[in-house]
Amino acid sequence: MRILINLGLDKEIKHLPEVLQDNEIICYLTSGLIEGNTWLIVCTNKRVIFLDKGLLYGLEQLEISLDKINSISQKRGLMLGEIAIWDGARRIRTKNVRKDTLKPFVDATNKAIEAMKNATINNVSTGRGTEDVAAQIEKLADLHNKNILTDEEFQAKKKQLLGL
């Protein structure tokens, strides 16, 4: 964290607790440039948050819920790299990310996405709540359409719900 503060992100880091939701856990954070400004990039167990606190005032915040992330990629240079995250509607490209934080950030994000996916599958497949089977299958279909579930996972869970 000391490295990030040295890069002038102390205001973003101090503001981070105000942005976090209840029960939201930080998985990894790094920094990089988006459109010429230095941003703090935070992966949590719920979303990826981008923060840029102005020199004197103001805060810009972007976020992508983990269940909305279609793809995350990294590109390595000699000393710096780039992270790109797609959510279907847009791509957020962060340049000048320290090379040693690229893989850990991408891995932490993918791990958080997988954990959220597994929790969602378990909640649907165990029938928690008062939903009927049709509503549970509808939720699974939505996860399948968002490419969160593979064809095989969708078919297996659907068969399980139908008792086949």
Side-chain angles (χ1 to χ4, degrees):
M1 191 103 74
R2 189 175 328 133
I3 293 168
L4 294 173
I5 292 171
N6 290 342
L7 292 175
L9 292 170
D10 51 335
K11 292 181 288 186
E12 286 84 355
I13 291 171
K14 287 177 185 174
H15 187 74
L16 187 57
E18 297 175 35
V19 173
L20 295 174
Q21 301 169 353
D22 291 340
N23 300 319
E24 191 166 19
I25 300 165
I26 296 172
C27 302
Y28 201 86
L29 53 87
T30 188
S31 65
L33 293 178
I34 300 175
E35 298 178 5
N37 293 331
T38 303
W39 290 65
L40 177 67
I41 306 136
V42 183
C43 173
T44 73
N45 61 324
K46 296 181 180 187
R47 58 194 169 146
V48 175
I49 306 165
F50 302 84
L51 291 175
D52 178 27
K53 193 121 169 90
L55 287 175
L56 300 175
Y57 62 91
L59 170 75
E60 262 193 276
Q61 177 180 333
L62 302 171
E63 61 183 70
I64 303 174
S65 175
L66 293 178
D67 64 339
K68 301 288 188 222
I69 294 176
N70 291 337
S71 177
I72 181 169
S73 68
Q74 61 178 306
K75 182 177 174 183
R76 293 172 177 255
L78 187 58
M79 293 177 62
L80 300 171
E82 179 179 302
I83 295 171
I85 301 176
W86 288 265
D87 70 356
R90 64 184 169 175
R91 174 180 72 162
I92 298 178
R93 196 166 125 197
T94 310
K95 297 180 179 182
N96 290 8
V97 178
R98 285 192 32 201
K99 184 177 166 182
D100 61 332
T101 66
L102 285 170
K103 185 174 178 357
F105 182 86
V106 171
D107 288 350
T109 303
N110 283 326
K111 186 176 178 181
I113 290 168
E114 189 66 28
M116 179 178 269
K117 173 179 146 181
N118 289 337
T120 303
I121 290 170
N122 290 337
N123 286 344
V124 171
S125 66
T126 57
R128 293 185 186 146
T130 59
E131 300 172 320
D132 61 357
V133 172
Q136 291 179 41
I137 292 173
E138 205 172 299
K139 278 188 174 182
L140 286 172
D142 184 48
L143 293 171
H144 180 254
N145 291 337
K146 291 178 180 176
N147 293 321
I148 294 172
L149 291 178
T150 65
D151 292 336
E152 295 79 21
E153 290 170 325
F154 172 69
Q155 291 301 329
K157 290 295 181 182
K158 185 169 95 173
K159 286 179 182 177
Q160 180 184 6
L161 286 170
L162 293 172
L164 302 175

